């Protein structure tokens, strides 16, 4: 079992920044890939970005490229999502997720591929 706990959400004005954290615990050695997802009110959950645990470059959805950065601190078993130049359309509940099997790049944005999910942290960006 793997447990995921997000933190760092909040309210910020457009153009501001936030850093989300996802603390992992349990059988973390079994995690192959982790991702960030978000769900805005009335919309489907979408992938924001993902990364292989242990190396490799993150990938991002086009709408956040150049503004968001995924990083990991393996010593702390923590995944981060640095969000800069935030826009009102970034307002959503943000979730981290973990997959215990290797995923090719084209499947890493699919929420169905992830076994474990955190409870989410809310981000509100005002104009």
């Amino acid at each position: 079992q793997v447990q995921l706990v997000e933190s760092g959400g909040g309210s910020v004005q457009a153009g501001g920044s936030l850093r989300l954290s996802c603390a992992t615990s349990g059988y973390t050695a079994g995690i192959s890939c982790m991702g960030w997802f978000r769900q805005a009110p009335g919309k489907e959950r979408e992938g924001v970005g993902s990364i292989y645990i242990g190396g490799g470059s993150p990938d991002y959805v086009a709408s956040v490229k150049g503004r968001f950065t995924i990083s990991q601190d393996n010593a702390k078993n923590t995944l981060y999502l640095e969000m800069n130049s935030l826009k009102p359309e970034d307002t959503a509940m943000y979730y981290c997720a973990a997959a215990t099997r290797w995923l090719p790049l084209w499947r890493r944005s699919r929420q169905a591929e992830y076994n474990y999910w955190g409870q989410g942290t809310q981000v509100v960006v005002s104009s």
Side-chain angles (χ1 to χ4, degrees):
Q1 290 289 326
V2 175
Q3 294 79 43
L4 307 174
V5 179
E6 302 97 333
S7 60
S11 296
V12 64
Q13 289 192 329
S17 299
L18 284 172
R19 188 176 79 157
L20 307 184
S21 299
C22 175
T24 65
S25 60
Y27 185 57
T28 58
I31 298 174
S32 176
C33 175
M34 292 195 70
W36 285 99
F37 292 78
R38 65 184 180 184
Q39 187 167 20
K43 294 188 177 181
E44 293 186 356
R45 191 175 298 185
E46 67 167 348
V48 174
S50 63
I51 188 169
Y52 287 122
I53 298 301
S57 299
D59 67 287
Y60 303 94
V61 68
S63 59
V64 307
K65 277 183 180 177
R67 299 189 299 122
F68 290 13
T69 302
I70 293 174
S71 62
Q72 55 184 321
D73 185 333
N74 291 330
K76 296 182 178 180
N77 289 330
T78 301
L79 183 74
Y80 300 100
L81 180 65
E82 184 79 33
M83 305 186 296
N84 298 313
S85 302
L86 282 162
K87 305 175 181 180
E89 51 263 44
D90 294 317
T91 294
M93 184 72 80
Y94 282 73
Y95 301 89
C96 68
T100 54
R101 57 179 177 269
W102 183 84
L103 300 173
L105 181 60
W106 64 273
R107 285 167 56 184
R108 277 163 47 178
S109 62
R110 297 183 174 183
Q111 54 181 313
E113 301 286 0
Y114 292 81
N115 314 65
Y116 299 98
W117 291 82
Q119 82 290 346
T121 185
Q122 182 71 48
V123 172
V124 176
V125 184
S126 57
S127 58

